Amino acid sequence: IYAEMDPILGPTGDWTPILTAPKHSDSLKTMDYELIGNGVVLKTTNGEDIIIDGDVEIWVRDQGTISLGGDLTINQGASLTIYTNGDVSISGEINNSNTALKFAIYGTNTTDGAQDITLNGSANLTAFIYAPTANVKLNGGGGTKSGIFRGAVVAYDAVIAGNVAFWYDRAIGDVNLGDSDYEVFEWLEVTPTLYLDSYF
């Protein structure tokens, strides 16, 4: 089912952000961040981890980019919400809670196709991605290396390439998108023996 959906432009309510990016090995409590810039504003590499230990919101403006190559752990009872109009690249293990409701990425770019959100190689991501103007690319690894995505995606264009496992998280049905009247009603799990022609 196709529906025209508008991006969420940013956080609402009280907003008193910290203007410096969190660093790797940080343990983030309940706090807000506002990151402004047209380069990489948040980056981790392999072996550099961030721990979320509260309800954390990050708002990226001026098309700043996010590159998560290290792991991002969301502890029990914690959550992470990212609002960004820039590109996002993920290569690590992100959100080990295996609950997509704990990690949301909102693409706030208002131009169709002007934002890329990419899962690379053997990355393991559990998240809810709502980015109706973004290109979402799930690029799995070759051979025995495969990417894993658990959650749901709303995108302008979505591409799955290489070895990628995609699991829909039923808890996403509880997500409230404000003024949106749309929610997941039904989905079809595709298996190698399933013939799609019988469903259309």
Side-chain angles (χ1 to χ4, degrees), residues 19 48 53 60 75 83 87 103 106 110 117 119 121 128 140 151 195:
L19 299 179
E48 298 178 345
D53 199 25
V60 178
N75 286 342
Y83 303 88
D87 295 341
F103 181 30
Y106 291 100
T110 57
I117 300 174
L119 181 75
F128 167 60
Y195 295 95

Side-chain angles (χ1 to χ4, degrees), residues 52 54-56 72-82 94-105 126-128 169 171-172 175:
I52 305 298
D55 294 324
V56 176
L72 190 151
T73 298
I74 299 178
N75 286 342
Q76 185 174 359
S79 67
L80 174 63
T81 303
I82 294 177
I94 311 298
N95 184 9
N96 64 327
S97 73
N98 292 333
T99 302
L101 286 175
K102 297 297 184 180
F103 181 30
I105 299 174
T126 301
F128 167 60
D169 186 341
I172 295 300
V175 171

Side-chain angles (χ1 to χ4, degrees), residues 91-141:
S91 303
E93 182 171 340
I94 311 298
N95 184 9
N96 64 327
S97 73
N98 292 333
T99 302
L101 286 175
K102 297 297 184 180
F103 181 30
I105 299 174
Y106 291 100
T108 62
N109 202 302
T110 57
T111 302
D112 289 346
Q115 180 179 18
D116 291 327
I117 300 174
T118 308
L119 181 75
N120 298 302
S122 57
N124 187 336
L125 173 64
T126 301
F128 167 60
I129 300 175
Y130 180 81
T133 63
N135 305 307
V136 176
K137 304 173 184 178
L138 307 181
N139 297 323

Side-chain angles (χ1 to χ4, degrees), residues 14-18 32:
D14 294 335
W15 185 252
T16 54
I18 297 171
D32 300 325

Side-chain angles (χ1 to χ4, degrees), residues 28-104:
L28 306 185
K29 307 295 182 182
T30 299
M31 59 186 69
D32 300 325
Y33 290 89
E34 185 173 357
L35 309 179
I36 301 173
N38 57 7
V40 178
V41 295
L42 179 60
K43 180 178 181 179
T44 62
T45 59
N46 189 23
E48 298 178 345
D49 306 335
I50 292 178
I51 298 172
I52 305 298
D53 199 25
D55 294 324
V56 176
E57 289 190 329
I58 298 175
W59 188 12
V60 178
R61 302 174 64 187
D62 293 350
Q63 297 186 334
T65 60
I66 295 173
S67 176
L68 299 177
D71 295 345
L72 190 151
T73 298
I74 299 178
N75 286 342
Q76 185 174 359
S79 67
L80 174 63
T81 303
I82 294 177
Y83 303 88
T84 178
N85 61 3
D87 295 341
V88 179
S89 176
I90 295 171
S91 303
E93 182 171 340
I94 311 298
N95 184 9
N96 64 327
S97 73
N98 292 333
T99 302
L101 286 175
K102 297 297 184 180
F103 181 30

